[in-house]
Amino acid sequence: MKGKNKTPHYAVRLVVLILIGGFTFFVGLRFFVPEGSKLTGSYDAESLLYIASAPVEYAGSKSCGNTNCHESLFKTWSEGAHGAKEEQSKCETCHGPQGKHPEKDSKLPKVRGDGNVVELCLTCHRKMKARSTTGQPQITPQEHPYPHEGVLICTQCHNPHSPGFNKPVSSSVSSPDTAIDPKAKSTTTDGSSGGESKGASLASSCFSCHGPKGRGGFAPVLAGQPYEALKNKLIKFRSGELKGTMMNPVASKIKDEEIDALAHYFSGIK
Amino acid sequence: MDKRNIFPISADSKVTHELEPRELGTCEKERRKFISQVLGGSLMLMALPTLASTLFKQGMSEAEKQRIKKEYLEKYCPPGYDPFAHQWAYGIDAYKCIGCNQCMTACKLENGLPGHPSINNRWIERYTKLAGDPHVHVDSCTEPANIAVSDPDNFIYRFDDRYAEADVEYSFFVPKMCNHCADPVCTQVCPKGATFQTPDGAVLVDEDRCIGCLYCKQACPYGARYLRPIPARPDGVTRVAGKCTWCWHRITKGQEPACVDICPKKALIFGDLNDPNSDISLWFKEHGRELLVLKGDMGTHPSVKYIGINEEVR
């Protein structure tokens, strides 16, 4: 009877093994469990700091207007159709993320994507069956007065920062049949010589973006730039060597002597 | 012998149907004893955790809880951000959505995702019902026809105008994303504890722990997860589970998620439910009875609520 009650040796071994295993497990926990998991019980709380440390790419429209950099543009935008309503097209909706723009590069922010402005506008303004007809104006490119001869992109008639139909700055808009309106000669003041007057009439189609007389628009200032630089840039835009926001489709239609006249005109303005 | 009698039992053989009563054998006795012991033992085992919890778990006092919370806040939360003070929620107004895919672009650029149209934290679906067609047609940015008019290299995604000539009964856009469920499924199935819910309601992924097994992708009823390529980790993992984080790096700094910030139609609303004057609280109040969630019968209690969708939307 006594021998029957004695615990078999294999059972003793099993119990000892379990005890050793358990001991190593709980001791190991102390060393291998990350500090962050001891608090939460499951996940590593340290990952919170890692996730929160990601860089902010979209800085928000206010950061463009609150600084001294783009105040006038911000004002135009906030009073226009894109910024005045509750449904705002933000700066970065079209220009892409600019969170790193002020520190990293001093270049002017381009529009996002491949620079095709017409397609960028149509992203929201193309008429589609699934889109509710209320809200933003929606067009079918074939029905909208586009493309006129001379009018290649939306921004020639609509200011992207304050859309709505502007009284056409470009003479070619008012008379779509001819790319260059002969009447434009009389509207320009410095039409003294033949070459300059031709340049002036051509240049009027640049004013919608670059501002009257090549100054004060949202596109870079042209007035007073060196003749060679202007000419080279236009040629490069035409050949596609230089990628611009909207200059490539515009420059593709300009002839050599017209480039010469334009460069002459803008370099002559002081 | 009659040749027709093929059965072995002859007509005059006797068959007894009565069983004689007999005593239980040792085998039966042993079995009954065994079953009762197993039952008793398993009952004991079931009672043990409850017993243990009543004995030991009550030992975690209020002071101890406060200490843990304080340590959590001080050591692991971004400076100046208290996740216990917020309860984030998200609203989607499908009436307003125009399917411009700007939110998708913003999300990809904000979170550093590749341009491929299948690798998305969020995407937009188009639901279209044609007249005389019993089926509802759904398409999104991953469809070849839509990729053809998109430019993924430049992060531009568009819908083609395929229903321009068709007789459309109704058609609308529905932005889809991680629903940041109050009772998330993905956190329960994760074998590594790599996905978790923060006290403010966001469901996040620990990039260093995830092994990319995608159990969470299988569990998620909303298809909100995918494999995201990352720079190779020391242990050789190059892809982990990706998901919407509600731009946790932005909301902890007091900003809105990139998609909400960028939406040109104000179709996306984000805010703190603890603040009665936040955008989302007012929006929930305004649309109280119209609010819908996706797959409410899954019991996940999503924090993302919709208006303007119908029962076809899954």
Side-chain angles (χ1 to χ4, degrees):
Chain A
M1 286 302 272
K2 224 179 180 183
K4 209 185 176 184
N5 274 347
K6 203 181 168 190
T7 330
H9 58 93
Y10 55 80
V12 177
R13 272 188 212 157
L14 194 70
V15 169
V16 169
L17 266 177
I18 288 172
L19 281 177
I20 292 173
F23 182 74
T24 23
F25 178 75
F26 284 107
V27 169
L29 275 185
R30 292 199 71 82
F31 292 104
F32 291 110
V33 170
E35 281 296 314
S37 290
K38 282 179 189 165
L39 276 187
T40 60
S42 58
Y43 63 92
D44 188 354
E46 215 159 313
S47 62
L48 290 177
L49 286 174
Y50 176 77
I51 293 167
S53 70
V56 171
E57 300 281 347
Y58 282 82
S61 299
K62 274 179 192 157
S63 69
C64 310
N66 283 350
T67 56
N68 291 324
C69 313
H70 306 291
E71 260 174 341
S72 62
L73 268 184
F74 185 81
K75 195 165 173 283
T76 317
W77 168 79
S78 56
E79 287 164 1
H82 271 168
K85 288 178 292 180
E86 202 186 41
E87 295 171 5
Q88 289 175 333
S89 286
K90 313 277 165 47
C91 302
E92 285 155 323
T93 309
C94 297
H95 289 288
Q98 302 296 342
K100 287 169 184 162
H101 153 63
E103 290 96 28
K104 279 252 165 133
D105 58 322
S106 54
K107 273 200 291 180
L108 265 174
K110 290 182 175 177
V111 292
R112 72 185 184 94
D114 56 0
N116 189 335
V117 176
V118 178
E119 281 300 328
L120 184 70
C121 297
L122 286 176
T123 306
C124 296
H125 292 288
R126 187 194 289 276
K127 196 180 268 175
M128 266 168 120
K129 277 282 163 71
R131 277 178 187 164
S132 72
T133 46
T134 55
Q136 87 280 22
Q138 290 166 34
I139 61 153
T140 312
Q142 288 79 21
E143 290 167 7
H144 193 72
Y146 163 88
H148 288 314
E149 203 164 331
V151 181
L152 294 155
I153 46 174
C154 316
T155 46
Q156 266 175 293
C157 300
H158 308 278
N159 180 358
H161 294 116
S162 171
F165 190 70
N166 293 353
K167 205 66 204 134
V169 192
S170 156
S171 59
S172 49
V173 177
S174 53
S175 55
D177 304 327
T178 49
I180 305 145
D181 190 354
K183 280 176 204 163
K185 273 183 198 168
S186 57
T187 56
T188 53
T189 45
D190 31 357
S192 47
S193 73
E196 269 187 32
S197 66
K198 195 192 174 197
S201 65
L202 277 168
S204 57
S205 53
C206 310
F207 295 165
S208 57
C209 300
H210 293 277
K213 299 231 179 137
R215 195 180 273 130
F218 55 85
V221 175
L222 296 176
Q225 298 278 345
Y227 169 80
E228 280 298 319
L230 283 169
K231 196 177 169 184
N232 283 344
K233 268 213 160 163
L234 267 175
I235 291 168
K236 278 180 182 167
F237 273 132
R238 188 174 60 177
S239 64
E241 197 181 333
L242 206 68
K243 283 266 180 282
T245 307
M246 51 189 81
M247 274 312 287
N248 298 86
V250 173
S252 65
K253 295 268 171 82
I254 311 180
K255 295 189 197 90
D256 274 336
E257 66 260 27
E258 287 172 340
I259 287 183
D260 202 57
L262 279 171
H264 201 76
Y265 171 78
F266 280 116
S267 59
I269 303 174
K270 279 168 186 98
Chain B
M1 206 177 165
D2 192 355
K3 274 181 187 171
R4 285 170 297 180
N5 189 2
I6 53 168
F7 298 105
I9 299 167
S10 59
D12 49 48
S13 68
K14 274 185 184 171
V15 180
T16 37
H17 293 284
E18 291 167 29
L19 273 175
E20 283 170 21
R22 61 181 176 83
E23 277 187 22
L24 285 174
T26 10
C27 180
E28 273 107 341
K29 272 184 186 165
E30 284 288 307
R31 190 172 64 205
R32 289 185 177 196
K33 199 176 153 199
F34 175 74
I35 289 172
S36 62
Q37 277 175 354
V38 163
L39 273 175
S42 49
L43 270 175
M44 284 266 284
L45 278 175
M46 277 157 71
L48 259 176
T50 343
L51 213 76
S53 67
T54 43
L55 280 175
F56 301 107
K57 276 281 166 88
Q58 272 185 351
M60 195 141 115
S61 59
E62 263 317 295
E64 179 74 0
K65 278 182 195 163
Q66 288 298 321
R67 188 195 65 79
I68 286 179
K69 196 174 154 184
K70 204 178 157 216
E71 201 186 332
Y72 182 80
L73 277 174
E74 279 173 2
K75 271 175 97 174
Y76 300 111
C77 291
Y81 180 73
D82 178 8
F84 296 96
H86 300 281
Q87 188 60 54
W88 302 113
Y90 199 101
I92 294 175
D93 189 339
Y95 289 124
K96 283 185 179 174
C97 181
I98 55 168
C100 63
N101 276 322
Q102 303 265 23
C103 50
M104 206 174 125
T105 305
C107 178
K108 275 174 179 273
L109 293 171
E110 179 71 40
N111 294 297
L113 300 183
H116 194 279
S118 310
I119 301 176
N120 290 327
N121 282 344
R122 56 175 305 115
W123 66 100
I124 300 182
E125 287 173 3
R126 173 167 60 185
Y127 286 73
T128 310
K129 174 95 161 59
L130 301 174
D133 189 345
H135 302 292
V136 171
H137 299 269
V138 188
D139 67 302
S140 73
C141 56
T142 51
E143 203 156 278
N146 289 335
I147 296 175
V149 295
S150 302
D151 185 1
D153 294 334
N154 285 313
F155 295 95
I156 289 182
Y157 306 93
R158 299 189 192 98
F159 283 94
D160 67 339
D161 200 6
R162 69 181 73 176
Y163 302 113
E165 307 299 321
D167 187 6
V168 175
E169 203 169 290
Y170 59 76
S171 182
F172 53 91
F173 292 108
V174 182
K176 293 269 189 86
M177 58 188 287
C178 169
N179 280 254
H180 291 272
C181 312
D183 297 319
V185 194
C186 48
T187 57
Q188 294 170 30
V189 297
C190 183
K192 288 277 283 177
T195 179
F196 54 93
Q197 195 180 26
T198 55
D200 58 12
V203 179
L204 304 175
V205 176
D206 184 348
E207 224 174 79
D208 283 343
R209 254 196 206 192
C210 180
I211 50 170
C213 68
L214 287 193
Y215 279 137
C216 50
K217 184 179 161 50
Q218 292 179 44
C220 178
Y222 306 102
R225 285 181 176 247
Y226 58 94
L227 264 185
R228 185 161 70 86
I230 54 161
R233 244 167 38 193
D235 57 355
V237 172
T238 55
R239 291 185 294 173
V240 295
K243 73 180 289 300
C244 163
T245 61
W246 270 343
C247 285
W248 214 71
H249 59 289
R250 291 173 68 90
I251 62 176
T252 48
K253 295 182 182 82
Q255 288 165 311
E256 285 179 322
C259 48
V260 179
D261 182 53
I262 222 67
C263 182
K265 290 291 284 178
K266 222 173 189 303
L268 310 172
I269 301 102
F270 180 80
D272 187 359
L273 285 180
N274 287 353
D275 174 10
N277 291 318
S278 66
D279 283 0
I280 197 72
S281 300
L282 297 174
W283 193 78
F284 277 5
K285 212 176 280 173
E286 190 187 338
H287 298 287
R289 295 182 69 179
E290 298 169 68
L291 292 178
L292 290 166
V293 294
L294 298 180
K295 295 182 186 169
D297 51 335
M298 299 294 290
T300 51
H301 305 295
S303 303
V304 176
K305 296 194 166 58
Y306 286 83
I307 68 163
I309 59 173
N310 65 5
E311 72 278 2
E312 305 288 354
V313 180
R314 293 278 174 273

